[in-house]
Amino acid sequence: MLYPIKVVDVELSLPLQDIEGLDGYMQVQALVRWHSSPIGYIKAPITNGKCLATSLSKLILEEHSETIINRLLENGLAVQSTAKSLKIEDLFDVSTSENRENLPLVTVAVCTRDRTSDLALCLAGLKQLDYPNLDILIVDNAPSNDATKKLVENYPDIRYVCEPRPGLDWARNRAIIEAKGEILAYTDDDVVVDSGWVKALAKVFVENSKVMAVTGLVVPLELETEAQVLFEMYGGFGKGFERKWYRVSKGYKMPWQLLGAGQFGTGANMAYRRCVFDEIGYFDPALDVGTVTNGAGDLEMFFRVIKEGHALVYEPNAIIRHRHRRDYESLRKQITNNGSLYAYFFCGALSYLDQIFSFTWISIWWMCYWNIRRLLISFVFPSLFPRDLIVAELWGSLKGLTLYPKARKNAAKIIREYRDIPSIKPKNNFSNLWTQKSQRQDPIAVRTVELSEPIEPLTDITDYSRVRVFATWKKSPIGSCDISNQRQVISANRLIEEIVKQLNFKLIKIDESKNQALAALNKRWKLIAQSAQLPVNIPVSIVVATLDRPDDLRKCLQSLAAQKTQRVVEIVVVDNNPDSGLTPAVVAEFPGVVLVNEKRRGLAYARNAGFLACMGDIAIATDDDVTVPHDWLEKLVAPFAREDVMVVTGNTLPIELETRSQRLFEEYGDGGLGRGFEEREADNNWFTRDWFRAVPTWKLGATANAAFRTSIFRHPEIGLMNEALGPGMPSGVGEDIYVFYKVLKAGYTIVYEPTAQVWHKHRRDMKALRRQLYGYSKGIISYNLTTLLCDGDLRILPTLIIDMPMWHLQRIYYILRGWNDYPIGLILLEIAGNFAGPWSLWQSYRRVKREGRSNLNVPVSQRQNKAIQVESKISELVVK
């Protein structure tokens, strides 16, 4: 698992700078903002303990250019006095004016129970709110002690009230009674609010008088533990960075897609007009934390607001930061409690009988799509998201179907126990039962908006459910957009937002092209990247496995000894046939080269022996039949400056193409051993992107030219090379690409660096080529079967049953048509190798069982002298 991840904000209105002090972090998750308005996330690498501004600018421009342009256009249309054109370059410095007059009183309610450490952090954030008309209320729900009360006493301007009835919705209802403001905003005790949170909520209410509920963006406060990273991977609380409007005219059925009210927001970040509760009722005390349902009180209220004909807006500018559960058991419990969704479905169907079939349908659909589908996929291929959490949520959902009736009985019991306290019940609306109306026949209003003039709200449209707006610029038509207004006024801000969202780059064409707009963004934010270098105090070991090829080995060692580098470099030669006596004489010609004997035949055995013997933090694997340029090593290890990179591969080019067999090998597969001249990388997203095809790790390179962070060999999910795979074993090849597979599966990154090239001597005769291709063909089957047997990855089945036969047939067809002159005999040989793969893999495992696996825990005493030598060299280098 790739963690911890540093959570930061990046403000685009300020110069981009390196983010430093990131030692120990694997990655940065940056919330990109423009004048505090959120644009989206980027995940950036950490290089030598810092996140470079060049990396930030590159990722921001790649992933969010269109969103930035939309925000600039919205700003430009909103402020016509300073925006004389819609050229992007002219809109960078356009600033919006803030109206701080006539802002309503907002009561912020924090419902808490026995979590004073979290609450202290929450209160510190609330004190930093940038809002002039604020009332902060702490509702202490059935406390077991007076710690919360004592904490709040330290804040004279914050009110405290105790709600003795246990249950979060009882606390929320008490906040409704105690609230002084016409707007009531709720948040939780485990959050830190953004300074502009209340202002963003209030702005929506002020500009849209018919809006009764607003929810906001929830981002993680930290991603320090595996549980926190898993929760974000699961989806977190965020609902995106686009403002969304939800409303259904009163008396109309809600579409079943809207009944999954989690899409509207979360109770940790929601606000209401105080008056709406007098109309639709208070929170249902049979739901949410403190009851057997353990959730969904917020979802049921979102549903009720919309069902009763009111507007709910998701406003991403209203930001809070949530501290996710830090330990795995708490996360598991939280995800299990997500099954409370089904308690809400039961409640909604019971309260609104006209929606009973819709609730039944979404219950079935969600169970199949979210719970069962994800569980089945977890059996198809391994994922970073643990299956037991998926099972926990499925179990919670099944339980949730039965909990609401019990919770209602418990709520009734609480009402009887607390007779001295006024009871607040939700208003279950049974009016308009079975009413079904269609809006398809409603007329559509048509309006024209001149964008070069100040944009005004559309107020004369309350007889219509939809409006078609034709946009013009200086009387010239640009395009049209449809807005669902549900018989309500459309504010100027919403009108601008919809026009920009739907017309998008058509607006830019007024003054410039799309390319010109993107060029303006690049001019402002694109920084010239500097090549990262791995610090020279990090030692590197080069492991060369050899088998009775002394002449080739000598040339290889000569090129390795000529490397231009300032770092400590150790060369380890592993003799895979020490009985022949051919290798020691060659190694003796190169002082300082370490010779390791590995009698067990097989390239994986030999490489593992080298990895266990080497002392470098980085271990490079190469073959004895390659030679390398003088700058190869530094180019290959440079990407390890990033903490998330565990493997780097380089390009492997032919040193000669003199014989037919050498030329034919270059036509094999993707082009011999080379993987092209463009840098690329793979991570867990690449690993999981295809649900029905095997992971093509063979496209990432090979260990004729690959470097590994040696820590992976002791990683519980990665380890050493699988010794049942690879040359020298009946299975053929695959030991390297299976390591790649495990690295990606564990959540890390592999970089292909084409400038780190080596020269490979291909087989010169056809017999050797046929033997090599036969081994490759067995190996690819062995690799795929290993991912099935060891990792439960079922994606190999379509690959083996469909893709591979079709690939062979296509090549044969091309040959028969005269489009390719590759020998058909070699294709038949490859097919034979594929069929031999399963038997060969079994034979390999039998051999490994006889000969044993390599011992990862090599005694320290066997490497102590060498460790002292390496540390001494590093110390000397640091002093210099």
Side-chain angles (χ1 to χ4, degrees):
M1 172 60 65
L2 191 61
Y3 73 92
I5 297 172
K6 183 66 174 179
V7 176
V8 300
D9 283 11
V10 174
E11 176 55 62
L12 291 180
S13 62
L14 302 174
L16 293 177
Q17 296 180 342
D18 294 347
I19 303 172
E20 301 189 355
L22 300 178
D23 291 326
Y25 286 96
M26 301 297 291
Q27 202 175 40
V28 164
Q29 178 167 300
L31 177 64
V32 182
R33 306 175 74 168
W34 172 249
H35 290 295
S36 298
S37 177
I39 300 293
Y41 289 125
I42 58 168
K43 291 189 175 180
I46 293 173
T47 303
N48 296 327
K50 60 184 178 181
C51 182
L52 301 176
T54 52
S55 298
L56 295 173
S57 69
K58 179 176 180 291
L59 290 167
I60 290 169
L61 292 171
E62 286 177 352
E63 299 180 23
H64 298 300
S65 288
E66 186 171 335
T67 304
I68 294 170
I69 287 173
N70 282 354
R71 297 295 169 82
L72 293 171
L73 289 170
E74 290 174 11
N75 205 17
L77 291 175
V79 189
Q80 286 295 335
S81 59
T82 55
K84 302 302 183 183
S85 74
L86 292 184
K87 283 186 177 181
I88 295 302
E89 203 165 39
D90 296 338
L91 298 177
F92 286 129
D93 299 322
V94 173
S95 59
T96 56
S97 58
E98 285 189 17
N99 179 18
R100 300 183 66 87
E101 298 180 0
N102 301 320
L103 290 175
L105 174 64
V106 175
T107 294
V108 174
V110 181
C111 302
T112 186
R113 185 177 190 273
D114 295 346
R115 295 202 296 193
T116 52
S117 59
D118 284 336
L119 182 61
L121 189 62
C122 177
L123 293 178
L126 292 174
K127 293 296 292 181
Q128 303 301 316
L129 281 169
D130 178 20
Y131 193 77
N133 206 2
L134 198 61
D135 166 40
I136 301 177
L137 172 69
I138 306 302
V139 182
D140 198 2
N141 185 217
S144 62
N145 54 57
D146 61 353
T148 298
K149 183 178 181 181
K150 289 182 177 179
L151 173 65
V152 178
E153 286 174 353
N154 296 321
Y155 299 88
D157 53 346
I158 295 180
R159 295 191 292 133
Y160 170 89
V161 64
C162 178
E163 170 53 64
R165 290 169 290 197
L168 179 56
D169 275 358
W170 284 115
R172 287 169 174 162
N173 289 339
R174 173 50 60 94
I176 296 172
I177 295 175
E178 301 287 343
K180 296 179 179 179
E182 61 179 280
I183 306 299
L184 174 56
Y186 289 96
T187 192
D188 290 347
D189 54 12
D190 54 357
V191 311
V192 175
V193 300
D194 190 75
S195 62
W197 173 58
V198 170
K199 183 165 57 179
L201 293 172
K203 183 179 179 182
V204 179
F205 286 112
V206 169
E207 294 177 351
N208 305 273
S209 61
K210 299 300 181 181
V211 169
M212 291 295 165
V214 180
T215 62
L217 174 64
V218 182
V219 301
L221 176 66
E222 61 183 20
L223 294 174
E224 300 287 334
T225 71
E226 182 182 19
Q228 292 176 325
V229 173
L230 283 172
F231 185 71
E232 273 300 291
M233 183 187 302
Y234 167 80
F237 285 124
K239 307 303 175 187
F241 298 91
E242 179 181 316
R243 188 178 293 110
K244 300 168 188 174
W245 297 70
Y246 301 98
R247 187 176 184 274
V248 175
S249 295
K250 189 169 184 177
Y252 287 76
K253 284 180 61 176
M254 280 180 65
W256 70 270
Q257 297 92 336
L258 293 183
L259 298 183
Q263 63 192 294
F264 304 141
T266 179
N269 189 359
M270 61 182 182
Y272 301 88
R273 291 190 194 275
R274 169 65 183 75
C275 61
V276 75
F277 299 111
D278 296 329
E279 178 186 344
I280 69 174
Y282 288 27
F283 288 90
D284 188 341
L287 292 172
D288 231 301
V289 177
T291 73
V292 294
T293 62
N294 266 308
D298 49 355
L299 306 187
E300 194 272 339
M301 182 57 74
F302 297 156
F303 160 73
R304 213 180 328 151
V305 166
I306 298 173
K307 176 64 178 175
E308 292 297 331
H310 302 297
L312 181 151
V313 176
Y314 171 70
E315 172 53 77
N317 286 320
I319 303 173
I320 67 167
R321 305 176 192 280
H322 182 264
R323 175 179 280 172
H324 301 338
R325 306 295 191 271
R326 293 181 62 90
D327 63 276
Y328 192 84
E329 284 306 312
S330 297
L331 172 64
R332 180 185 171 86
K333 181 179 179 181
Q334 181 183 14
I335 289 182
T336 302
N337 290 339
N338 285 346
S340 61
L341 176 69
Y342 282 84
Y344 147 62
F345 288 160
F346 193 108
C347 172
L350 187 66
S351 301
Y352 293 86
L353 297 181
D354 62 324
Q355 300 276 180
I356 190 168
F357 292 121
S358 300
F359 273 114
T360 302
W361 171 248
I362 195 173
S363 298
I364 296 171
W365 181 86
W366 188 252
M367 180 70 72
C368 294
Y369 174 79
W370 183 251
N371 293 313
I372 297 176
R373 180 185 66 92
R374 291 167 70 240
L375 181 61
L376 293 176
I377 289 173
S378 74
F379 287 104
V380 174
F381 63 90
S383 169
L384 287 178
F385 196 78
R387 184 185 301 148
D388 71 299
L389 295 182
I390 300 174
V391 173
E393 184 171 15
L394 174 60
W395 174 242
S397 298
L398 295 174
K399 283 177 38 181
L401 289 167
T402 65
L403 293 178
Y404 186 69
K406 182 179 179 181
R408 289 193 67 170
K409 291 180 181 178
N410 291 342
K413 182 180 177 181
I414 290 174
I415 292 173
R416 291 193 298 271
E417 290 178 357
Y418 292 89
R419 291 181 180 276
D420 55 325
I421 302 177
S423 296
I424 308 160
K425 300 179 182 179
K427 185 181 295 184
N428 290 330
N429 192 324
F430 291 95
S431 63
N432 299 316
L433 296 184
W434 308 106
T435 301
Q436 297 187 37
K437 300 180 182 179
S438 173
Q439 299 179 16
R440 294 183 180 178
Q441 304 303 320
D442 285 355
I444 300 174
V446 176
R447 298 293 183 269
T448 299
V449 175
E450 173 54 53
L451 301 181
S452 63
E453 300 175 357
I455 296 175
E456 300 293 336
L458 298 181
T459 58
D460 58 342
I461 53 172
T462 54
D463 293 331
Y464 299 89
S465 296
R466 286 188 296 161
V467 181
R468 178 159 298 169
V469 175
F470 290 92
T472 63
W473 179 265
K474 297 179 180 178
K475 308 304 180 182
S476 296
I478 301 171
S480 67
C481 61
D482 286 1
I483 305 174
S484 175
N485 66 307
Q486 301 294 336
R487 304 179 186 277
Q488 298 295 331
V489 170
I490 298 177
S491 67
N493 280 344
R494 189 188 177 196
L495 183 58
I496 291 170
E497 177 186 316
E498 292 291 343
I499 289 172
V500 171
K501 182 166 62 176
Q502 296 187 44
L503 298 185
N504 199 268
F505 285 107
K506 290 181 181 179
L507 298 174
I508 295 175
K509 290 181 180 179
I510 295 170
D511 290 309
E512 59 186 339
S513 68
K514 176 180 178 180
N515 288 337
Q516 288 174 316
L518 294 174
L521 293 189
N522 278 281
K523 181 179 178 182
R524 184 175 181 93
W525 283 301
K526 188 172 183 179
L527 303 176
I528 300 175
Q530 298 178 349
S531 58
Q533 297 295 323
L534 187 69
V536 295
N537 64 337
I538 295 180
V540 172
S541 298
I542 304 174
V543 176
V544 183
T546 186
L547 179 62
D548 297 346
R549 294 196 289 200
D551 294 336
D552 288 338
L553 177 62
R554 183 177 289 107
K555 294 177 182 178
C556 176
L557 292 178
Q558 287 172 347
S559 66
L560 293 178
Q563 288 299 294
K564 291 185 177 180
T565 180
Q566 294 181 326
R567 72 181 69 252
V568 174
V569 178
E570 172 194 47
I571 300 176
V572 178
V573 174
V574 183
D575 187 355
N576 205 205
N577 186 22
D579 292 339
S580 70
L582 296 176
T583 300
V586 176
V587 173
E589 299 174 16
F590 299 88
V593 174
V594 178
L595 178 63
V596 174
N597 292 326
E598 175 53 77
K599 292 184 177 182
R600 295 171 297 181
R601 191 67 58 84
L603 186 56
Y605 273 126
R607 288 210 169 111
N608 283 343
F611 294 148
L612 292 173
C614 71
M615 295 303 302
D617 293 336
I618 308 295
I620 299 176
T622 190
D623 292 341
D624 57 6
D625 54 357
V626 306
T627 55
V628 300
H630 65 274
D631 59 350
W632 161 74
L633 185 144
E634 287 301 326
K635 289 180 177 178
L636 187 63
V637 301
F640 286 110
R642 287 172 47 180
E643 297 293 334
D644 60 314
V645 174
M646 294 294 150
V647 180
V648 180
T649 61
N651 204 358
T652 304
L653 305 175
I655 196 170
E656 62 178 21
L657 294 173
E658 299 290 335
T659 69
R660 182 168 181 258
S661 64
Q662 292 175 326
R663 294 191 294 272
L664 286 173
F665 184 70
E666 276 298 292
E667 296 180 24
Y668 172 76
D670 293 326
L673 296 175
R675 293 297 177 261
F677 297 90
E678 292 185 6
E679 181 182 353
R680 59 181 180 273
E681 61 183 64
D683 56 15
N684 190 258
N685 291 327
W686 188 86
F687 178 85
T688 58
R689 67 181 180 181
D690 197 330
W691 293 357
F692 303 105
R693 293 295 182 271
V695 185
T697 51
W698 53 87
K699 294 183 178 181
L700 300 177
T703 39
N705 187 9
F708 305 87
R709 208 182 287 274
T710 52
S711 60
I712 70 170
F713 300 126
R714 287 178 170 77
H715 192 291
E717 297 178 26
I718 303 174
L720 293 168
M721 289 186 170
N722 188 326
E723 289 156 339
L725 301 174
M729 299 296 288
S731 58
V733 296
E735 81 293 352
D736 45 6
I737 58 178
Y738 186 54
V739 171
F740 300 165
Y741 176 95
K742 291 188 291 182
V743 167
L744 297 175
K745 175 187 170 187
Y748 299 108
T749 303
I750 297 175
V751 171
Y752 173 70
E753 177 50 67
T755 63
Q757 64 186 39
V758 302
W759 300 98
H760 182 263
K761 183 180 179 182
H762 296 344
R763 307 297 190 270
R764 292 182 62 87
D765 62 89
M766 289 298 296
K767 182 179 180 180
L769 175 64
R770 283 193 290 270
R771 185 166 58 248
Q772 184 180 20
L773 296 187
Y774 184 69
Y776 280 10
S777 300
K778 291 190 298 179
I780 194 64
I781 300 298
S782 298
Y783 156 72
N784 281 303
L785 289 177
T786 301
T787 65
L788 173 64
L789 298 173
C790 297
D791 303 276
D793 198 331
L794 297 177
R795 290 177 293 178
I796 71 150
L797 298 178
T799 299
L800 297 181
I801 297 171
I802 301 173
D803 293 351
M804 198 166 289
M806 291 301 298
W807 181 62
H808 289 313
L809 289 174
Q810 183 185 62
R811 295 165 72 208
I812 292 172
Y813 174 75
Y814 286 172
I815 293 170
L816 294 176
R817 290 296 301 268
W819 297 343
N820 195 323
D821 59 357
Y822 191 81
I824 197 169
L826 291 182
I827 296 178
L828 297 177
L829 179 71
E830 294 170 31
I831 294 173
N834 292 157
F835 279 109
W839 170 261
S840 300
L841 181 63
W842 181 60
Q843 293 287 351
S844 295
Y845 273 107
R846 291 184 62 189
R847 180 173 155 188
V848 170
K849 185 176 181 180
R850 290 194 306 270
E851 300 188 2
R853 295 189 180 275
S854 296
N855 181 13
L856 184 62
N857 299 312
V858 176
V860 176
S861 59
Q862 296 181 13
R863 296 190 286 167
Q864 187 173 8
N865 292 336
K866 190 191 303 181
I868 294 172
Q869 294 172 8
V870 172
E871 289 174 7
S872 176
K873 291 180 180 179
I874 293 174
S875 299
E876 292 175 6
L877 188 61
V878 171
V879 170
K880 291 180 181 179

